[in-house]
Amino acid sequence: MNCKGCVGAVERVLTKMEGVESYTVDLKEQKVTVKGDLKPEEVLEKVAKSGKATSYWPKE
């Protein structure tokens, strides 16, 4: 994610997903944190379909 347009694309995908309770987008760090009742693989797959690169990031 490089711009607010990218953030908007990711947000549109997440708001349509069943099971997403909340999410936060950190444009500076290029990270999205999703909370809810769904599998991480489902989130990565859906966001990837928006044309954005996806990957897991390590727990801190």
Side-chain angles (χ1 to χ4, degrees):
M1 296 182 301
N2 297 323
C3 65
K4 291 186 180 191
C6 295
V7 171
V10 171
E11 287 180 336
R12 282 190 293 281
V13 170
L14 294 175
T15 58
K16 293 178 183 177
M17 288 187 71
E18 287 188 35
V20 174
E21 294 174 11
S22 66
Y23 60 87
T24 56
V25 178
D26 185 339
L27 183 57
K28 182 179 176 185
E29 295 293 324
Q30 297 184 344
K31 292 182 180 181
V32 177
T33 304
V34 179
K35 294 183 182 181
D37 185 24
L38 61 163
K39 295 179 182 175
E41 298 83 20
E42 294 173 345
V43 176
L44 286 180
E45 182 180 321
K46 290 284 187 179
V47 173
K49 287 183 180 179
S50 74
K52 307 304 167 203
T54 59
S55 65
Y56 293 108
W57 44 282
K59 293 182 180 181
E60 296 178 356

